[in-house]
Amino acid sequence: METTRQAHATWSGTLTEGRGSVRPGTSGAFPELRTTWKARTETSDGVTSPEELLAAAHATCYSMAFSGDLSKAGFPPEKVDVSATILFRKLERWTVISSTLEVTAKVPGIGREQFQQIAEGAKDMCPISRALKGNVELAVSATLEQ
């Protein structure tokens, strides 16, 4: 079993002065989004960047993986909220350095230690984490709501 998904991007002009856009190719689930170099390296001003889209993909993927792992362990979550923060830094070249996941979840009946163990395992096993692993530092901070 396999699936494919597509997105389409366009760019006009130089790297620093140009502008572009990205739109879904498969789902049509989001509108065309504008992109600029300034949005990547300075302030976003309502314009997105590949790093913001990567953060969205990682947060979404992790929320699914964590919910699935909790359910498999016998603790279906009531709610899982995830934020991903991508660090993009100029080294020799601009590089994605890390993705830090912050998760808060309401999971009836689970102990804190088991919750933390499952949170850490999901960080390593969600498909986006596996795509990034070895190139990008991955971290998770998990909070269990009462």
Side-chain angles (χ1 to χ4, degrees):
M1 182 170 164
E2 64 182 37
T3 62
T4 59
R5 298 292 182 262
Q6 290 184 324
H8 300 281
T10 60
W11 189 263
S12 298
T14 67
L15 175 62
T16 57
E17 299 300 319
R19 58 189 56 239
S21 65
V22 61
R23 69 187 193 303
T26 307
S27 69
F30 59 88
E32 185 168 2
L33 303 172
R34 295 178 302 133
T35 58
T36 64
W37 181 251
K38 183 179 177 185
R40 289 185 85 176
T41 59
E42 296 175 36
T43 59
S44 63
D45 293 329
V47 178
T48 196
S49 68
E51 292 72 30
E52 183 175 42
L53 297 170
L54 179 59
H58 201 193
T60 303
C61 182
Y62 180 83
S63 70
M64 294 170 145
F66 189 40
S67 294
D69 290 351
L70 287 165
S71 296
K72 285 178 195 167
F75 302 99
E78 284 183 19
K79 183 178 175 186
V80 173
D81 285 318
V82 181
S83 294
T85 302
I86 298 292
L87 177 59
F88 186 55
R89 179 180 292 155
K90 182 156 188 190
L91 302 172
E92 192 173 307
R93 296 184 64 105
W94 282 94
T95 305
V96 173
I97 301 296
S98 65
S99 181
T100 302
L101 300 161
E102 291 187 33
V103 58
T104 302
K106 188 166 188 178
V107 187
I110 196 168
R112 290 191 187 281
E113 187 175 314
Q114 189 173 16
F115 175 81
Q116 292 296 331
Q117 184 178 26
I118 294 171
E120 197 63 37
K123 175 204 59 151
D124 294 331
M125 296 310 293
C126 95
I128 299 296
S129 290
R130 291 195 321 266
L132 297 173
K133 196 171 186 150
N135 294 308
V136 173
E137 181 182 324
L138 303 174
V140 65
S141 173
T143 302
L144 178 61
E145 286 184 347
Q146 294 300 320

